């Protein structure tokens, strides 16, 4: 004889299955909600990182503006040159030229640091700048200044690239467009 399942019992099994599906939906809904919260949190962290980097770049630009303002004052008023320059035995004109060369180099370095120039673009601009006799003199006279820069810094890396360019230009100035470190492109 076959076992008969009463209707009430069948409905209980159906109810249990329905309840199980409900619990599974709730569980997965919580999982989906949690994943969504984690996605939102990660997105906020990315945005915070970008804002922090942007503030850092803005601070670099502001610091450079202050430096340039001081250099402009020094270039305009020779009596201030002795307070801002450690180079000795220079005429007033030569000191102004070397300060301006420093300013040009600093502008390129800043453009690279804030993302305005990638490495290859920076190297290209530096190749041209290194051909200038005033810049070459500035670079030679300030070699001691660069020794105190930490080796791991961007400025030390750029300075090493300029050193290579200067050496290679001294050997063969006619091939200025290929001097320096290799580019990524």
């Amino acid at each position: 004889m076959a076992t008969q399942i009463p209707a009430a019992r069948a409905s209980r099994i159906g109810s249990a299955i329905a309840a199980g599906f409900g619990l599974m939906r709730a569980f997965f809904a919580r999982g989906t909600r949690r994943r969504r919260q984690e996605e939102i949190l990660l997105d906020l962290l990315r945005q915070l990182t970008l804002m922090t980097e942007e503030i850092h770049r803005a601070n670099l630009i502001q610091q450079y503006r202050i430096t340039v303002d001081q250099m402009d004052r020094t270039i305009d008023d020779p009596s201030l040159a002795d307070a801002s320059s450690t180079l000795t035995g220079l005429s007033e004109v030569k000191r102004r030229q070397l300060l301006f060369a420093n300013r040009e180099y600093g502008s390129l370095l800043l453009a690279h640091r804030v993302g305005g120039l990638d490495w290859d673009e920076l190297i290209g601009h530096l190749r041209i700048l290194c051909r200038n006799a005033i810049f070459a003199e500035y670079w030679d006279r300030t070699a001691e200044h660069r020794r105190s820069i930490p080796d791991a810094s961007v400025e030390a890396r750029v300075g090493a690239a300029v050193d290579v360019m200067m050496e290679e230009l001294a050997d063969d100035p006619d091939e200025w467009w290929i001097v320096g470190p290799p580019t990524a492109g």
Side-chain angles (χ1 to χ4, degrees):
M1 174 173 206
T3 307
Q4 291 185 347
I5 301 175
R9 192 168 175 201
S11 69
R12 276 187 274 158
I13 291 173
S15 295
I17 291 172
F21 282 140
L23 286 173
M24 297 252 322
R25 265 190 241 115
F27 173 76
F28 286 117
R30 263 185 251 140
T32 302
R33 191 172 344 165
R34 174 172 239 145
R35 279 191 298 275
R36 180 68 183 132
Q37 288 172 343
E38 288 172 357
E39 289 171 5
I40 290 171
L41 182 60
L42 287 173
D43 188 46
L44 287 172
L45 287 173
R46 278 188 222 100
Q47 290 178 18
L48 181 61
T49 300
L50 291 174
M51 286 175 45
T52 302
E53 291 168 358
E54 187 61 31
I55 289 169
H56 177 71
R57 285 190 293 272
N59 287 339
L60 285 172
I61 292 167
Q62 184 60 27
Q63 187 271 332
Y64 183 74
R65 283 183 183 141
I66 292 167
T67 301
V68 167
D69 184 47
Q70 289 174 328
M71 281 186 192
D72 285 347
R73 288 180 185 179
T74 301
I75 290 170
D76 291 343
D77 185 352
S79 66
L80 298 176
D82 289 335
S84 66
S85 177
T86 60
L87 303 177
T88 58
L90 299 173
S91 69
E92 182 180 315
V93 171
K94 182 57 76 174
R95 185 182 310 274
R96 285 179 174 175
Q97 289 174 333
L98 296 181
L99 285 169
F100 194 79
N102 174 266
R103 185 174 165 181
E104 289 297 301
Y105 173 71
S107 293
L108 291 173
L109 187 61
L110 175 68
H112 175 65
R113 290 181 73 191
V114 299
L117 296 175
D118 67 19
W119 180 254
D120 292 348
E121 292 169 323
L122 175 65
I123 295 300
H125 286 285
L126 289 171
R127 282 181 179 138
I128 295 167
L129 186 59
C130 286
R131 295 183 67 214
N132 182 288
I134 300 296
F135 181 77
E137 182 179 354
Y138 156 77
W139 198 255
D140 182 56
R141 286 180 173 263
T142 58
E144 288 293 319
H145 298 105
R146 290 186 296 281
R147 290 198 177 141
S148 66
I149 298 170
D151 292 338
S153 70
V154 172
E155 191 170 352
R157 183 176 174 219
V158 173
V162 172
D163 286 340
V164 169
M165 287 181 207
M166 290 300 200
E167 288 173 17
E168 291 178 2
L169 279 171
D171 293 339
D172 190 1
D174 292 334
E175 295 198 17
W176 62 269
W177 62 90
I178 59 169
V179 298
T183 58

